[in-house]
Amino acid sequence: MVIDIDRVLGPIPGDDVASVDEQGLVAELDRLRIDLACVVHSHALFYDPTSRQPRTVSDRLVQVPVLVPGPLGTGGTAARLVRLCPAEHRFALTGPHGLALAGDLSDQGTAVLLGWNSATFEEIHRLATRCPRLRLILIDTGYRSLRELADLMDAHTGISVDTATLNGHQSVEWLVRRYGAHRVWFGTGAPASDDAGPRFQLDHLDLPDADVALIAGGNARALLGPGRDGR
């Protein structure tokens, strides 16, 4: 089973995309043989996450809330996967409110998607140090970030990474062999980034089948729990 943990649903500023609505997004999933997608709504990502967001209807889509800490924020959530966007929504990731939210998410076993360009290396390191049980999945890392990424993953076992922009030669394989397939997740970042490339890469990884299965969807299914895998 293939689960994309990093996808956006809804209109994108400055571009016409097929995933502007659920029907279009599901058609894209069918085209690329992706069974399920964890989706952030573009209204929450690019505009105001504190406003009421459209709810997904399709059982092929799992809604991922964008959270903002503090009294002017969104409040908490019972979701198993959320996204934090400190740079985009102008809050301090490791300020008092940010650390309080991270502690709550850690306590309830919620995993956090965090964009590589949404926080500094020092902020990510500080957050993972203060909240060692928090499950952080770094997205949009890119092949040029591999040395910094290794520095963080060596220091913090709770940090994982998605495959969306890990397109350097054998980058995914290297990460799996060093850290284990349980710390690498299939994601595309679409439509802001290409989805066909990561999907093609998934089919051609030079790894044991069991490792590929974990990356493709096994890790996500374990996180989302029974009844949340589209089957």
Side-chain angles (χ1 to χ4, degrees):
M1 187 175 192
V2 178
I3 301 175
D4 183 350
I5 65 157
D6 176 19
R7 198 146 191 137
V8 178
L9 168 66
I12 300 295
D15 196 8
D16 293 324
V17 295
S19 55
V20 68
D21 56 27
E22 290 192 32
Q23 183 178 3
L25 176 50
V26 170
E28 288 293 282
L29 300 182
D30 288 339
R31 180 176 66 87
L32 293 170
R33 294 180 294 111
I34 297 173
D35 299 288
L36 192 75
C38 300
V39 297
V40 167
H41 201 284
S42 62
H43 292 172
L45 187 60
F46 298 112
Y47 302 106
D48 184 8
T50 66
S51 64
R52 186 172 182 176
Q53 304 299 320
R55 303 299 300 175
T56 55
V57 175
S58 171
D59 62 4
R60 302 273 299 281
L61 306 177
V62 175
Q63 194 146 11
V64 177
V66 176
L67 300 187
V68 177
L72 298 176
T74 57
T77 179
R80 299 305 307 273
L81 181 66
V82 302
R83 183 161 173 176
L84 298 181
C85 306
E88 295 85 348
H89 297 307
R90 303 295 191 271
F91 66 86
L93 181 65
T94 55
H97 294 309
L99 288 175
L101 175 61
D104 290 342
L105 295 173
S106 176
D107 289 344
Q108 67 190 38
T110 297
V112 175
L113 297 174
L114 179 64
W116 186 248
N117 294 317
S118 192
T120 65
F121 177 96
E122 290 76 16
E123 287 172 324
I124 298 169
H125 176 52
R126 193 178 309 124
L127 179 66
T129 300
R130 292 289 299 272
C131 302
R133 293 187 297 111
L134 181 65
R135 301 178 68 180
L136 278 176
I137 305 171
L138 300 178
I139 59 177
D140 305 324
T141 53
Y143 69 93
R144 286 191 176 95
S145 65
L146 196 57
R147 290 188 179 95
E148 292 176 287
L149 185 60
D151 207 355
L152 288 168
M153 292 181 72
D154 277 343
H156 306 289
T157 57
I159 291 181
S160 302
V161 64
D162 88 333
T163 63
T165 51
L166 284 175
N167 51 11
H169 179 61
Q170 293 277 307
S171 290
V172 173
E173 287 87 346
W174 183 85
L175 285 164
V176 169
R177 289 165 185 150
R178 184 173 179 86
Y179 302 109
H182 65 289
R183 296 178 70 183
V184 181
W185 306 59
F186 173 70
T188 66
S193 59
D194 172 57
D195 50 7
R199 184 64 185 85
F200 178 86
Q201 179 190 52
L202 182 66
D203 284 339
H204 294 84
L205 289 173
D206 183 18
L207 291 169
D209 290 345
D211 286 346
V212 175
L214 278 179
I215 296 167
N219 292 327
R221 291 183 75 176
L223 172 68
L224 297 175
R228 300 299 303 279
D229 61 4
R231 295 293 177 84

